[in-house]
Every structure is written in C-alpha cells, then in structure tokens.
Amino acid sequence: MKKILLFVLTSMILIVLLQINLQSFGSATIPPVVLTTSSPENVTIYFLDVGQGDSILVKTPSKNILIDGGPTEAGVTVLNDLNTYHVTKIDLMVATHPHEDHIGGLIHILQSTIPIQDIIYNGYNYTTTQTFNTWKTLALAHNLTQASRGQVYAMSPTINFTVLSPTNPLQFSDINAESIVMKLQVGNTSVLLTGDAQFDTEQSMLSSGYNLQSQLLKVGHHGSSTSTSQALLNAVTPTYAVISAGINNQYGHPTQQTLDILANNSIITYGTYNYGTILFSLNSAAQTQTPSPTPTPTPTATPTPSPSPSPTPTATTTQPTTTSTQAPTNPTTNPTQQPASPTNTPSLIADPSSSPSPTPTVPEFSGLLIAPMLLVMTMLALVKRKRENDNAFD
C-alpha cells in the first residue's frame, strides 16, 4: 500500500513539473519581421514579453529608447532583456501613463546602474498610488519633462519620434485616454505606438490633421474593446499589428471584437501572449536581401465608417516642435508628410506560410490538467482493488 501511495505522489509531482515546463515554453517563436526603409540606419523594435503590460525597446545605431516597463514584477525581466540586447544606456525613457502595468517595471530600471538621459511622461500625476510616487521620485533625478502633441525627438537625421497625444493641457479625465502616443519615423517607414489610448484619443488624433499612416501599429490598451476603431485603422492602414497582453489574463485581453476588426482589415497580427517577445527589424532597402513576398492587405470598409479628416495639417495647428538638439534634416521624416514611394512596402523575411492567423486566440493550457486527473483516478482504482483483494484473503 505504501509503495502505491508513494508511486501516486511521485507521479503527480512529475506531471505538475511537466505542466509548468510546458506553460513556460508554450509560446511559439517567430523570426524577426523585416520592414524595408529608405533610412540608411537600421532600427530594431522589441515588443518585450512582460505578461499583462506593455514594454517596448527601440534600438537605433546610436540610441536606445525604452517605452514603458511592464508591471512591477516584470522589472527584473526587462532589465535582463536590456542586458541580453546589449543596452548599456537609455537615451529616452517614456512612461506612456501612470498605470502600474506600464510604469511598475520602470522602477527597477531606474534603480539599476544603467545611465538614463531623458524621461518623458504624460503629465498626469497619479499621486494616489505608491507605484507612481516611487516612479516619479526616481524619475526626478533625471531630466523629466511632460510630453505634448507636436514635440519631435530626433534620434538622427532620418529617425525621429513625434508625440501625437496627449495635448497640453490634458483633454480627458481618463488616465488611459491621456496615454502618450508616438509615431516613430525611420526614413519612409512609420510605426504607431499607442500605449493604452482609447477611442477618445484616437478621435482627437484624427481631428489633429497629423498623418497617422504607419506600416506597423501597436494596438491600444492590450487589444481591449475600448480601442482600435475602424476610423483609426482607415487612417493608419497598417500591414502589421502587435498586441501586448498576458496569457489567460483576468481582463480577457485581447477581446474578440478587436481581433475581428484587425482580421476584417487583413492586418497580420502578433501577440506577446502567443509568441513572447516580438522583433521587428527596419532595414534599408539596400541591405534587405530578396525577401519573401508579403500578402497585401485590403482594408474592408464598414457600412458607416467614421469620417477621417484630411491628413494635411494647417501650419498653425500641427507645426511640430523639435525638442532634441539634433533636428531631422531628411524631409521624409516630417511626420506630416505621406510616406515615400509605395514600392518600399514592408516585407516578411520568414516564410509567409508560417505567419500567424490575423485572428490569434489566447492559448489555453487547461487540457494539461486532464492527464493528472486520469492518473489520480487510475491510482485510486488500483488502491481500491488491492484493498478488496486483501480483504478477500482475510
């Protein structure tokens, strides 16, 4: 009897360990997605896997930009990622808004030995939370400023970030709606990074007159139902989208509504909950070698789409203010201009047949519980049968 019970206990421990191992490595990995650009400088964007939160690392040949740091418990992970990707300094740290799943992990980075030059936040002082108070106390030891629509942060003559939201003064009472939204311009290729922007934020940007068109969209608010309107997708027309969310998270992110609208617009979508850290490599056309063909998305118009304003801003309301000492000199980096020739379309180096479905779903691991349950039931049946046999001989 003791041997049987010991066998059952040992088997259950082994199965639990196997289940944990499968969950740890359940995410598929994908090769970097390569976008061609007219810029002679290569840029790599890492959408870091921080669970239920956001953290994005942008590496240029000379600058490192960290946008959010995920939740507090992801701080060590982000710091390890920075070491893995050979980040020895942070030139610009961006706290899109003061929620813990975006700035919590930044605290660990601020407490590390990594030099940090400039920090920007949305100006919303969320002093009712200890996380924000700790973050701001540490951030004030650096050059902390408030981001505002129209500011341009130049990383080089052909690489810059333009702040598209929030405005100054702030427009909305909702913290998510005041997220910092930035458009990264690398030559003639653009990336829209939206934080937890909401429908109100999207409409404000659409009304601003800025050109939002981008090849890559970081989906707002982890793919919630309060972001990613058809009007926004009509203006951005992205080929790719990335959703940062934790596997089986309590909020149900991403929602099926968001996945459906992305799929209906033929947008190739990746999620950190499916693939872990996701890499996009923006390389010059001269350095990109014969990529495999990429499917061309055909946006599906809705019966009554929201009107999108003209992308051509007026000189009095959309003139960006360059806040870096190195102003962009290449006219293609002007955030108000349309991208250059459409011949420089994004391309996926990996085999397109391996591309994920535009409607990814959060992986489920509940099936792994079936094996331990069956084993326990089998062992209990064996124990019962042995007892009956023992009683038969008494």
Side-chain angles (χ1 to χ4, degrees), residues 79-93:
L79 186 59
N80 289 337
D81 287 341
L82 296 180
N83 291 330
T84 299
Y85 302 130
H86 309 292
V87 175
T88 57
K89 63 182 177 67
I90 296 175
D91 299 278
L92 179 64
M93 174 183 284

Side-chain angles (χ1 to χ4, degrees), residues 172-383:
F172 311 109
S173 59
D174 183 83
I175 298 177
N176 288 328
E178 296 293 2
S179 289
I180 293 177
V181 178
M182 304 178 78
K183 183 177 181 180
L184 167 62
Q185 193 79 38
V186 182
N188 63 338
T189 300
S190 304
V191 178
L192 190 62
L193 306 171
T194 60
D196 276 1
Q198 306 287 281
F199 290 142
D200 287 343
T201 317
E202 296 172 7
Q203 187 55 51
S204 175
M205 292 189 297
L206 290 168
S207 301
S208 71
Y210 275 96
N211 174 20
L212 304 183
Q213 197 280 329
S214 300
Q215 285 77 16
L216 170 61
L217 169 68
K218 201 292 292 185
V219 176
H221 200 189
H222 321 289
S224 77
S225 60
T226 59
S227 303
T228 317
S229 63
Q230 184 61 53
L232 178 73
L233 296 181
N234 288 344
V236 180
T237 63
T239 300
Y240 301 102
V242 172
I243 300 174
S244 182
I247 184 172
N248 295 332
N249 64 84
Q250 60 179 319
Y251 307 102
H253 294 157
T255 63
Q256 194 60 47
Q257 173 182 322
T258 300
L259 295 175
D260 287 345
I261 196 171
L262 293 169
N264 291 339
N265 285 271
S266 301
I267 299 169
I268 301 171
T269 302
Y270 300 89
T272 58
Y273 52 85
N274 274 345
Y275 299 100
T277 294
I278 300 167
L279 277 64
F280 276 76
S281 182
L282 281 62
N283 297 340
S284 67
Q287 297 176 348
T288 304
Q289 303 190 2
T290 317
S292 302
T294 296
T296 301
T298 305
T300 303
T302 57
T304 56
S306 301
S308 179
S310 170
T312 304
T314 60
T316 58
T317 60
T318 60
Q319 183 63 33
T321 302
T322 302
T323 57
S324 170
T325 56
Q326 184 178 15
T329 58
N330 190 323
T332 62
T333 63
N334 188 327
T336 65
Q337 291 187 345
Q338 294 290 345
S341 171
T343 56
N344 292 320
T345 54
S347 54
L348 181 62
I349 289 297
D351 182 358
S353 63
S354 65
S355 298
S357 167
T359 56
T361 55
V362 180
E364 298 286 348
F365 292 95
S366 57
L368 294 175
L369 297 175
I370 297 175
M373 291 175 62
L374 291 175
L375 179 62
V376 171
M377 293 174 64
T378 303
M379 292 300 109
L380 290 175
L382 290 174
V383 171

Side-chain angles (χ1 to χ4, degrees), residues 113-128:
T113 58
I114 296 181
I116 302 170
Q117 182 174 336
D118 296 314
I119 303 176
I120 61 174
Y121 78 126
N122 68 350
Y124 196 115
N125 291 302
Y126 199 34
T127 55
T128 56

